[in-house]
Amino acid sequence: MTDVTQVNEKISIERQGDIALIIIDNPPVNATGQVVRQGLQDAITRLNEEGTAKVIAIYAEGRTFVAGADITEFGKPPQPPALPDVYNIIEASQIPVISVMHGTALGGGFELGMATHARIGIKGLRVGLPEILLGLLPGAGGTQRLPRIAGIPFTLDMALSGRQVKAEEALEKGVIDRLVDTTPREAALQAAQDVLDGKLATRRTSELQVERDDKALEDTAAKLKAKQAHLFSPHKVVEAVAASSLPLTEGLKIERQAFLDSMQTPQRAGLIHAFFGERAVSGIPEAKGDSREINKIGVIGGGTMGSGIATSCLLAGIPVRLVEVAQEGLDRGVATITKNLEGAVKRGKMTAEQKDAALKMLEPSLGLEVLSDVDLVIEAVFEQMDVKKDIFGKLNTICKEGAILASNTSYLDVNEIADSTDRPQDVLGLHFFSPAHVMRLLEIVQGAKTAPDVLATGFALAKRLKKVGVLAQVCDGFIGNRILAHYSKTASYLVLDGASPQQVDDALEGFGFAMGPHKVGDLAGLDIGWMTRKRKAATRDPNERYAGDVADKICENGWFGRKAGQGYYIYGDAAPEPNPEVAKIIDAVRAEKGITPRTFTDAEIVDRYMTAMIVEATRVVEDGTAKRPVDVDMVFLFGYGFPRFRGGPLHYADTIGAKELVARITEYAKEDANYWQVPPLLQKMADEGTTFADLNKGA
Ligand code: CAA
């Protein structure tokens, strides 16, 4: 006979003879919110006071064991009991406690397991310490107990990478005692019985000895100092793990302090904004409606973009028909896709067999006619309206009814493209970022007539491709490239007025960008920007200060960047060096324009660059191109290498405040009132004392 007691709404105790099961039920991911913490503490205390059970087994209902602390509580006043205290009570239990973990036991969830006296993994389990990805560190004993269980180097690896360790590796490292293939409940009952029968050993983690490894600690600290000096919590991880050779209570105190210090940093706030933002972009009604079934995709164009898109689809297991006009282009496309997939094998993303299977799903073909049976076409040809309209006109007659017709255009008018068909409701923009099989951003561009289920299919596809789909409305450049077109001028103005390209790059890399804008330009090819400037020359605002003088002259020499061996920098076997010829060009342009160069501090460079980015980002929200500030933030995190720990341009804007931003823009406007204008929305926010976070909440 079973005997179930509800400790509170999330925790229950079930008695089966000498066995007590503690069951956690807090969907969706069994996070250790206050009610769970309280319930666990009460359950263990009650069972120890009663003293009738001889073994306790903890497991969780639902799709996963505990996925960690409840992140929504972070940044709010802490509610007792604190997680480390609950786990200390579990570890101190007089009755042996075992845990059965399934799904993803992460952060505070994995630490719960570590506080128990034996751990069982269910097949498919992954354990991890992802706190570092949130600007934190394990704060419930992980930095103290894992070294005792699996050693200091493994703890540093897990806590600094945040990687999820597969069950097999966890078993090999002694992190779990057993790996079984059954339900958590069955495993809990079986393991508990085995403890009673003396077939499964239990022990307190605090009683295990840590094998000291000062070299691993020193090497890691030095590496972090060199590579991640600007981050806070990684250094704290090393400090806390170093304390694991102290008695557990002392080590836990050091860990706790490091955790609380990390919690106070803007980096933690930025990273948690990124965590929820990644999920919020697809949490909108447009993403959630009925979608159309996609079983086969046609990709038009075997260039870098088309091949990347095709690779991305194949990686997700979706058959692709790749179309080109000439055999040569088709062969090049197939070769690129093969190379991309081989790269995925090298990076451990797939096995060689999986690569071969993926390539079997690729059907290279000549001519659009073969697209009559695909469910979705993604056009990725040259950015020319006439060419696109011609293709869409043909697709209109070739494709089956209900097929979705998407353009990967980065700036052209999706409505004009849609109107070249009789079915504009089936047309949308799917703007991938290069390399398309790596970059996670997908701008989903809604045309004026795009049907709701077509839009929802765009989001469903993003999910299948493991991408972050963000809704954008039609305009030149959509969300990302439109903002980029504006702020990248600032980098050029800074150079014209006195900074060197290298100083601008260094300052922005110091801010956290992986690469400064001139290095990015060299990598992408300076000819791309040159073409865009030529395209826009006829429609350029005559009052606008021209930003392209230096870049145009570099391009006139054919120095298109990395692929040409030189651009802003010179490339060879050694690390890139600033190009002395570019310095001469800059001097000449300054002289020609009568500019007396001035000095800029790195801080001013960052302020100007970021303010320009925020200005256009605000306008994009103001005119509805992006639905909310968080959508802009995710575009920049997943498509433009924006430092994740800063949360995105508009999350970062809140750390400055609208008032200060308006003051800065007003000051800069004294030099160039055309470029530096205060967006009305930002002025309103400054007047009312509101933030972009308020706008995200719909305030
Ligand atoms: N706290 C609160 N909510 C959480 C959460 C958490 N730890 N983890 C996930 N959620 C929420 C998500 O926001 C999402 O909510 P919506 O449905 O409203 O969008 C929902 O749970 C489902 O999450 P996913 O969509 O991400 O589901 P998934 O199946 O794709 O992934 C997961 C599941 C792998 C657990 C993933 O959610 C994840 O990685 N979660 C974060 C894990 C984590 O970082 N844990 C460490 C927390 S910090 C900590 O524990 C500190 C400490 O040491 C005390």
Side-chain angles (χ1 to χ4, degrees):
M1 220 189 93
T2 56
D3 161 13
V4 180
T5 316
Q6 208 64 40
V7 179
N8 63 25
E9 61 188 275
K10 316 255 182 219
I11 304 289
S12 56
I13 299 175
E14 180 179 328
R15 288 299 303 268
Q16 292 221 9
D18 290 338
I19 300 171
L21 298 173
I22 297 181
I23 304 156
I24 306 170
D25 188 7
N26 183 25
V29 294
N30 289 311
T32 58
Q34 194 277 335
V35 180
V36 170
R37 297 195 297 275
Q38 189 69 57
L40 282 174
Q41 174 169 309
D42 292 349
I44 292 284
T45 309
R46 187 182 302 179
L47 287 167
N48 272 275
E49 279 169 5
E50 285 170 7
T52 55
K54 293 208 168 62
V55 58
I56 301 170
I58 303 177
Y59 76 91
E61 293 287 1
R63 68 193 213 217
T64 180
F65 189 68
V66 176
D70 185 340
I71 303 172
T72 58
E73 291 182 353
F74 291 174
K76 297 180 188 158
Q79 301 279 337
L83 205 53
D85 297 340
V86 177
Y87 292 176
N88 287 342
I89 290 170
I90 291 174
E91 182 165 59
S93 168
Q94 292 307 312
I95 305 167
V97 186
I98 58 177
S99 50
V100 176
M101 301 185 281
H102 72 290
T104 38
L106 303 177
F110 182 29
E111 290 168 303
L112 167 57
M114 289 185 225
T116 64
H117 307 144
R119 288 163 291 282
I120 312 298
I122 303 286
K123 199 161 182 266
L125 169 74
R126 285 166 179 263
V127 295
L129 294 173
E131 293 88 342
I132 198 81
L133 309 173
L134 303 173
L136 292 167
L137 68 154
T143 65
Q144 306 304 303
R145 291 194 175 95
L146 192 55
R148 287 170 162 80
I149 296 169
I152 285 179
F154 186 64
T155 305
L156 288 171
D157 165 26
M158 280 196 76
L160 287 169
S161 67
R163 77 183 173 97
Q164 292 185 7
V165 169
K166 286 187 184 156
E168 291 72 18
E169 187 183 352
L171 183 67
E172 186 202 311
K173 291 283 188 320
V175 167
I176 52 174
D177 298 273
R178 278 186 188 171
L179 182 56
V180 298
D181 189 6
T182 178
T183 63
R185 182 184 170 77
E186 283 309 314
L189 286 168
Q190 182 61 53
Q193 190 58 48
D194 285 351
V195 172
L196 293 176
D197 296 344
K199 293 185 197 155
L200 175 64
T202 58
R203 88 301 284 169
R204 287 199 176 85
T205 307
S206 56
E207 288 161 9
L208 303 173
Q209 289 302 312
V210 179
E211 199 175 312
R212 284 188 66 137
D213 193 336
D214 294 345
K215 182 163 168 17
L217 289 163
E218 281 161 22
D219 289 354
T220 308
K223 214 189 289 163
L224 290 175
K225 220 168 170 188
K227 293 216 163 130
Q228 297 190 6
H230 56 293
L231 295 180
F232 185 82
S233 67
H235 309 277
K236 291 283 167 187
V237 165
V238 181
E239 248 177 73
V241 174
S244 64
S245 45
L246 300 172
L248 184 75
T249 44
E250 283 178 46
L252 284 176
K253 261 191 225 152
I254 290 172
E255 178 194 83
R256 188 78 195 143
Q257 194 53 52
F259 182 79
L260 294 174
D261 291 347
S262 302
M263 190 64 95
Q264 299 308 319
T265 63
Q267 299 184 355
R268 189 274 306 157
L271 287 164
I272 286 181
H273 176 68
F275 178 86
F276 285 117
E278 181 177 344
R279 287 152 179 83
V281 288
S282 57
I284 52 175
E286 289 88 337
K288 287 186 169 161
D290 289 341
S291 58
R292 298 187 190 174
E293 207 172 308
I294 303 294
N295 296 316
K296 189 181 267 192
I297 294 181
V299 175
I300 307 175
T304 312
M305 276 318 290
S307 303
I309 294 167
T311 309
S312 181
C313 297
L314 293 172
L315 284 169
I318 310 173
V320 172
R321 196 161 273 166
L322 180 75
V323 173
E324 259 290 354
V325 276
Q327 190 62 42
E328 198 191 340
L330 197 58
D331 291 345
R332 204 178 322 121
V334 173
T336 311
I337 294 167
T338 309
K339 206 172 105 221
N340 290 344
L341 290 173
E342 281 166 359
V345 174
K346 259 190 222 144
R347 289 196 309 274
K349 298 254 176 235
M350 63 183 347
T351 62
E353 292 74 41
Q354 284 167 330
K355 178 206 74 183
D356 294 341
L359 277 173
K360 283 210 181 87
M361 288 192 296
L362 175 68
E363 289 176 62
S365 313
L366 289 175
L368 298 174
E369 288 69 24
V370 294
L371 296 174
S372 58
D373 66 341
V374 300
D375 306 302
L376 162 70
V377 180
I378 305 174
E379 163 276 312
V381 304
F382 197 64
E383 284 282 80
Q384 214 171 312
M385 186 54 97
D386 292 351
V387 180
K388 305 233 181 211
K389 277 166 113 170
D390 179 54
I391 289 177
F392 275 75
K394 287 181 179 142
L395 292 176
N396 188 41
T397 52
I398 292 169
C399 291
K400 66 181 182 188
E401 200 187 317
I404 296 179
L405 312 179
S407 174
N408 175 53
T409 179
S410 12
Y411 55 83
L412 294 176
D413 185 343
V414 172
N415 292 326
E416 203 179 328
I417 297 174
D419 284 338
S420 61
T421 73
D422 298 333
R423 34 171 138 172
Q425 73 280 1
D426 295 337
V427 178
L428 83 169
L430 289 177
H431 182 211
F432 290 78
F433 288 71
S434 187
H437 59 296
V438 176
M439 295 297 283
R440 291 195 58 215
L441 178 63
L442 179 64
E443 281 182 325
I444 299 172
V445 187
Q446 177 175 20
K449 296 174 190 156
T450 307
D453 64 342
V454 170
L455 212 51
T457 309
F459 280 94
L461 177 73
K463 197 165 180 188
R464 273 173 89 181
L465 302 184
K466 297 200 171 66
K467 298 212 180 288
V468 179
V470 178
L471 181 65
Q473 300 301 317
V474 175
C475 70
D476 191 338
F478 313 124
I479 298 176
N481 282 347
R482 173 173 150 193
I483 298 172
L484 170 74
H486 182 74
Y487 72 79
S488 59
K489 289 178 193 149
T490 308
S492 309
Y493 296 153
L494 284 162
V495 168
L496 284 174
D497 291 339
S500 70
Q502 191 185 14
Q503 191 199 355
V504 172
D505 284 356
D506 288 350
L508 291 163
E509 284 165 23
F511 178 79
F513 283 98
M515 263 192 233
H518 300 98
K519 282 190 195 144
V520 172
D522 274 1
L523 185 64
L526 296 176
D527 47 327
I528 295 177
W530 196 28
M531 262 163 22
T532 309
R533 287 193 296 281
K534 285 188 204 163
R535 172 174 64 88
K536 289 189 172 174
T539 54
R540 205 166 62 224
D541 173 1
N543 297 318
E544 182 184 301
R545 181 180 184 194
Y546 186 54
D549 300 284
V550 171
D552 288 351
K553 292 211 161 54
I554 297 175
C555 289
E556 282 160 19
N557 285 301
W559 302 334
F560 293 149
R562 208 172 265 226
K563 62 186 169 191
Q566 59 180 320
Y568 286 102
Y569 296 84
I570 300 212
Y571 299 89
D573 294 335
E577 286 289 330
N579 189 344
E581 293 303 319
V582 168
K584 285 184 202 156
I585 291 175
I586 294 169
D587 284 343
V589 172
R590 284 178 189 153
E592 186 191 310
K593 298 201 167 292
I595 298 168
T596 311
R598 53 164 285 209
T599 54
F600 289 93
T601 62
D602 287 0
E604 187 178 356
I605 289 173
V606 170
D607 284 352
R608 283 176 178 258
Y609 192 81
M610 285 311 305
T611 305
M613 192 186 295
I614 291 164
V615 163
E616 193 62 18
T618 306
R619 291 190 190 120
V620 157
V621 173
E622 194 167 35
D623 69 15
T625 300
K627 216 172 157 77
R628 300 154 303 181
V630 67
D631 296 285
V632 176
D633 285 344
M634 295 310 113
V635 163
F636 275 81
L637 291 194
F638 293 102
Y640 292 81
F642 192 92
R644 190 177 165 94
F645 69 92
R646 297 202 189 265
L650 294 178
H651 177 85
Y652 175 70
D654 276 350
T655 68
I656 303 167
K659 238 191 181 118
E660 165 65 19
L661 286 163
V662 168
R664 272 188 202 170
I665 299 164
T666 312
E667 186 58 32
Y668 302 154
K670 289 179 188 159
E671 299 156 20
D672 184 348
N674 186 59
Y675 182 71
W676 292 107
Q677 293 184 31
V678 178
L681 174 62
L682 196 66
Q683 185 64 61
K684 183 166 173 271
M685 288 167 61
D687 295 343
E688 294 174 356
T690 54
T691 62
F692 288 106
D694 294 330
L695 287 176
N696 282 328
K697 286 185 216 130

